[in-house]
Amino acid sequence: MNQPSSSLPQLGQWNGPEDLRLLQEKQLQQTVTWAARSPFYRDRLGSGALPATAADLASLPLTTKQDLRDNYPFGMLGVPRERLATYHESSGTAGRPTPSYYTAEDWVDLAERFARKWIGMSAADVFLVRTPYALLLTGHLAHAAGRLRGATVVPGDNRSLAMPYARVVRVMHDLGVTLTWSVPTECLIWAAAANAAGHRPGTDFPALRALFVGGEPLTAARRRRISRLWGVPVIEEYGSTETGSLAGECPHGRMHLWADRALFEVYDPQTGTVRADGEGQLVVTPLFREAMPLLRYNLEDNVSVSYDDCACGWNLPTVRVLGRAAFGYRVGAATITQHKLEELVFSLPESYGVMFWRARAEPSVLRIEIEVAEEHRAAARAELAASVRAVFGVGTDVTGLTPGTLIPHDALTAMPDVVKPRSLFGPDEDWGKALLYY
């Protein structure tokens, strides 16, 4: 049985943008008070009156990722250290780490936001969490959301040697996994691993209800391919290590910002102005975070925010994330983006079986390699090359690779031992890895 909802705002408790604004501003004063306890915001807010409204807040400078790095590890801390429940860092390797920490109360908000999946999560579910645990937030976030809703959680960390793809497929099949959380690429690799194990993804996993995905760009074409491979909906969400889940899909496939739990602004870096909607960089003020309050945190993601009505009735703004889709490399006079190129690759006929590919943008030619069976190779190469020329107007060299080249068969089928450290070996044993896990 699902656990009862907390006292935090729940979907359906407001009507329209004005109601939502009142709900936000009711909590905002508490949020700013929490922030004023941290060394960073104590200096930034000064000794005057604290901001009490969204208009007041807009006079503060934006908080940046560099601010978080400069105040590593605990310069953003707003509570006594003893109240912290978890500490996390982002996966970036440039510069100092970006820290993030939460109290047990903060975790209720985090877990509830992630659990807002329109398909639902309950005690009847077996939920495979296939994103990193380690210092990152993502695995712990999904794990906590699953437990909050009573699900049986399978902690399948995708950075652990103890969980190779063959084991993922076995667990999914034998345990009757109903829901999964991963990056979209994992879902394609599972399908290949399932085939290698003699299973058909679309029919031999009857318990599966949905695939939850996030963490990397996903085009409509690749999403359709994943959904048809597994025969279930693919449900995307948007968030960050520093904030947790910020938006999720409604039953009508639109991504809604969780604006009852955070205050959002759209920032124009060219003019320095902000507004509630339109295109620009997304700025977020989480409203229910006490350990590490963030006021006007610039995620630096280019987005488009709209307050147009949606048939779902959630009365929340919608968001389209544009930033990653806009980044690209030059080939001749054209800019090649992964988003557009992926759409072309996954628009090839499904009968060709193309799932794995890579490309290199060179000054005068775009080189693409795709895994494709020999009987479809010539057609797939010709069709993809024609599509690239039509869309980008550049020279292209498409190579067809034997399936198993980009994702080796061994990676799909191997079940390596994970051995604990030991120091004593017999006369014929390899003691070269003594003391190390492998």
Side-chain angles (χ1 to χ4, degrees), residues 419-420 422-434 438:
V419 181
K420 294 181 179 180
R422 63 177 172 136
S423 299
L424 178 63
F425 294 79
D428 300 320
E429 291 183 302
D430 176 13
W431 65 354
K433 294 180 179 178
Y438 62 94

Side-chain angles (χ1 to χ4, degrees), residues 329-336 360-367 393-395:
Y329 296 94
R330 300 289 288 182
V331 175
T335 298
I336 311 297
R360 187 193 301 276
E362 299 180 0
S364 59
V365 65
L366 178 65
R367 301 193 186 279
V394 300

Side-chain angles (χ1 to χ4, degrees), residues 40-41 44 57 61-69 76 90 98-99 240-243 246 263-265 267 281-286 289 292-301:
F40 174 77
Y41 285 115
R44 175 158 289 190
L57 194 70
L62 300 181
T63 301
T64 67
K65 294 180 188 290
Q66 191 59 46
D67 288 330
L68 270 57
R69 294 188 185 104
M76 312 293 290
S90 62
T98 301
S240 74
T241 298
E242 300 94 332
T243 63
L246 294 174
L263 182 65
F264 294 97
E265 302 169 84
Y267 169 68
Q281 295 181 347
L282 190 65
V283 173
V284 59
T285 300
R289 184 172 180 182
M292 184 179 162
L294 293 173
L295 302 181
R296 309 193 73 215
Y297 178 61
N298 186 6
L299 287 162
E300 300 176 7
D301 282 340

Side-chain angles (χ1 to χ4, degrees), residues 383-400:
E383 290 176 33
L384 184 55
S387 295
V388 169
R389 282 194 298 270
V391 172
F392 294 110
V394 300
T396 184
D397 178 12
V398 180
T399 302

Side-chain angles (χ1 to χ4, degrees), residues 269-293:
Q270 301 299 319
T271 64
T273 58
V274 295
R275 51 186 294 184
D277 57 6
E279 291 192 11
Q281 295 181 347
L282 190 65
V283 173
V284 59
T285 300
L287 292 172
F288 295 93
R289 184 172 180 182
E290 190 177 2
M292 184 179 162

Side-chain angles (χ1 to χ4, degrees), residues 72 106 210 213 230-231 263 372 430:
Y72 165 86
D106 293 339
V213 299
W230 290 97
L263 182 65
V372 58
D430 176 13

